[in-house]
């Protein structure tokens, strides 16, 4: 249990069996604050800095402020907000938080902000608390490094939205991304396409060659699908099992079919160096121009229908569907299914292994 400090009538602080003068206590508190790893400052009601600890001075030095700088008298708004964040939005949040505390609208606040170095990503947290005494309102401001927490959160988020086997997006991420791009396409009156890919006879291949071989096939297919997803409006994803899909923003049906051919060619080139039984893929391609009241579910359904047509007509093909042409799902799927087999796409065929 900690000791209780008491002040006698002479202004001496007593802690247990010892007595401390006000000056002694000030020195001890200052030493304690200097031992803290957080950079701490105290500002007055104008935002002028009246005290800083050693960690604050060290932080300034590490970010280009010299050792001989006396922070006392600097205005926090001008000296710290924008330079420490390097981010307009973060600086504005910190500025407004301190302003609210100084104005009495709140007594405390907390916010995270980026403060990246040229060779390192960093995040800090600022915590502010009001101090009221006979001289007016002061505010303690503490900046602490929370980079490890942010990186851990980013890793957890990546795991939540990516497929652990192949590294591409998972079904959850795919659905969210497609809905976002669908709304964007509707807002700007642009087309959007989905490519759905399935490995032909994947179960038999797994049974014949083992799951390790099957996993390598899925990894290669993921890389090939990623090869055509190069823009912020594109995303490659593993939907489940051996089924993959890609969202392609701003892409019409003809361009989508061309990109599907590139996926096949990329996979063939990637796999041709390995001597193993041949494998093929079937692809369903669909494109739409979203309108008010329409849903991205329609586009996914059309791509699935196109994939089924490709499989029905012998596999190793590309089926295509133009959702723009009709509101009837049956009419979306083009009767003209690509008949060029994978092995005719510029190589001897993708191979297992």
């Amino acid at each position: 249990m900690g000791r209780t400090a008491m002040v006698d009538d002479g202004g001496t602080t007593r802690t247990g069996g010892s007595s401390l003068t006000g000056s002694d206590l000030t020195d001890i508190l200052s030493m304690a604050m200097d031992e803290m790893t957080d950079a701490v400052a105290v500002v007055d009601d104008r935002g002028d800095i009246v005290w800083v600890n050693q960690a604050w001075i060290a932080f300034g030095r590490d970010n280009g402020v010299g050792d001989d700088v006396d922070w006392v008298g600097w205005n926090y708004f001008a000296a710290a907000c924008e330079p420490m964040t390097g981010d307009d939005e973060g600086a504005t949040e910190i500025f407004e938080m301190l302003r609210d505390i100084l104005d009495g609208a709140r007594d405390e606040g907390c916010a995270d902000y980026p403060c990246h170095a040229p060779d390192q990503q960093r995040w800090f947290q600022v915590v502010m608390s009001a101090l009221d005494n006979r001289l007016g309102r002061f505010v303690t401001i503490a900046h602490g490094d929370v980079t490890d927490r942010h990186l851990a959160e980013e890793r957890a988020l990546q795991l939540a939205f990516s497929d652990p086997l192949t590294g591409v997006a998972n079904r959850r991420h795919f659905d969210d991304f497609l809905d976002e791009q669908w709304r964007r396409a509707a807002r700007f009156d642009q087309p959007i396409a989905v490519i759905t890919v399935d490995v032909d006879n994947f179960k038999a291949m797994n049974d014949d060659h083992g799951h390790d071989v099957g996993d390598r096939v899925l990894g290669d297919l993921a890389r090939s699908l990623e090869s055509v997803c190069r823009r912020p409006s594109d995303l490659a994803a593993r939907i489940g099992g051996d089924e993959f899909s890609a969202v392609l923003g701003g892409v019409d049906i003809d361009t989508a079919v061309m990109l599907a051919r590139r996926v096949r060619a990329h996979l063939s080139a990637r796999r041709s160096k390995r001597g193993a039984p041949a494998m093929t893929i079937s692809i369903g391609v669909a494109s739409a121009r979203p309108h008010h009241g329409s849903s991205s579910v329609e586009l996914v359904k059309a791509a699935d229908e196109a994939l089924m047509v490709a499989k029905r007509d012998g596999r190793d093909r590309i089926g295509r569907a133009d959702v723009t042409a009709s509101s009837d799902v049956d009419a979306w799927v083009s009767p003209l299914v690509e008949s060029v087999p994978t092995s005719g796409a510029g190589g001897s065929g993708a191979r297992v292994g």
Side-chain angles (χ1 to χ4, degrees):
M1 179 181 294
R3 296 181 179 179
T4 302
M6 302 176 62
V7 180
D8 62 22
D9 293 338
T12 299
T13 301
R14 290 183 289 110
T15 58
S18 63
S19 297
L20 299 173
T21 65
S23 177
D24 292 334
L25 185 58
T26 298
D27 290 342
I28 291 174
L29 291 175
S30 180
M31 291 171 61
M33 295 293 282
D34 281 340
E35 290 299 314
M36 296 180 62
T37 57
D38 286 358
V40 182
V42 178
V43 302
D44 62 17
D45 57 359
R46 296 182 301 274
D48 292 336
I49 297 174
V50 298
W51 181 90
V52 298
N53 69 348
Q54 289 299 314
W56 184 283
I57 296 172
F59 182 84
R61 180 179 61 246
D62 293 342
N63 287 273
V65 180
D67 284 328
D68 58 342
V69 172
D70 183 3
W71 284 91
V72 174
W74 284 42
N75 186 271
Y76 180 85
F77 292 109
C81 282
E82 186 171 351
M84 280 193 175
T85 62
D87 171 66
D88 290 341
E89 184 176 346
T92 299
E93 181 181 5
I94 294 172
F95 183 100
E96 292 178 348
M97 181 168 61
L98 178 57
R99 186 75 272 165
D100 286 346
I101 295 175
L102 290 176
D103 291 343
R106 56 198 294 193
D107 291 326
E108 59 186 19
C110 177
D112 290 4
Y113 64 93
C115 185
H116 302 318
D119 59 345
Q120 180 186 14
Q121 285 192 315
R122 304 181 305 178
W123 286 266
F124 286 80
Q125 182 180 81
V126 58
V127 179
M128 299 184 183
S129 300
L131 294 174
D132 293 313
N133 71 3
R134 61 185 177 81
L135 297 177
R137 170 158 283 206
F138 294 80
V139 179
T140 58
I141 303 173
H143 293 263
D145 192 332
V146 292
T147 299
D148 289 343
R149 172 168 64 80
H150 268 268
L151 292 177
E153 290 173 351
E154 285 189 353
R155 286 193 294 268
L157 187 63
Q158 182 178 13
L159 290 174
F161 286 93
S162 64
D163 173 57
L165 176 63
T166 63
V168 296
N170 60 15
R171 178 61 182 266
R172 176 184 177 185
H173 191 184
F174 174 84
D175 289 341
D176 291 345
F177 187 85
L178 176 58
D179 286 343
E180 176 187 339
Q181 292 301 315
W182 183 268
R183 291 191 296 270
R184 183 178 184 276
R187 184 165 65 251
F188 294 103
D189 190 28
Q190 294 178 340
I192 181 173
V194 166
I195 294 176
T196 299
V197 186
D198 193 76
V199 179
D200 295 329
N201 302 310
F202 183 69
K203 183 179 184 303
M205 182 181 63
N206 257 341
D207 294 341
D208 292 342
H209 303 284
H211 291 285
D212 288 343
V213 170
D215 289 348
R216 289 197 294 271
V217 168
L218 297 180
D220 284 341
L221 180 52
R223 303 290 81 77
S224 296
L225 198 58
E226 280 183 323
S227 72
V228 300
C229 297
R230 300 182 177 181
R231 304 168 305 158
S233 58
D234 303 334
L235 180 75
R238 183 186 179 196
I239 303 304
D242 61 318
E243 182 180 343
F244 290 76
S245 289
V247 179
L248 302 167
V251 171
D252 60 22
I253 188 64
D254 292 332
T255 304
V257 170
M258 177 191 69
L259 293 173
R261 291 193 182 112
R262 288 184 182 177
V263 171
R264 296 198 309 181
H266 186 281
L267 182 62
S268 178
R270 184 181 179 91
R271 305 283 294 173
S272 62
K273 296 180 181 179
R274 301 173 185 170
M279 60 164 285
T280 61
I281 57 174
S282 297
I283 304 178
V285 179
S287 179
R289 191 176 291 270
H291 56 82
H292 179 70
S294 61
S295 169
S296 61
V297 175
E298 301 167 352
L299 182 61
V300 173
K301 186 175 182 179
D304 287 342
E305 292 283 347
L307 176 62
M308 291 303 102
V309 169
K311 285 185 169 294
R312 182 196 67 197
D313 286 9
R315 298 187 175 90
D316 194 17
R317 282 159 171 74
I318 299 174
R320 51 181 287 163
D322 189 355
V323 184
T324 308
S326 172
S327 61
D328 179 6
V329 175
D330 293 334
W332 292 342
V333 181
S334 170
L336 299 177
V337 178
E338 289 292 315
S339 59
V340 178
T342 305
S343 59
S348 59
R351 309 185 72 82
V352 178

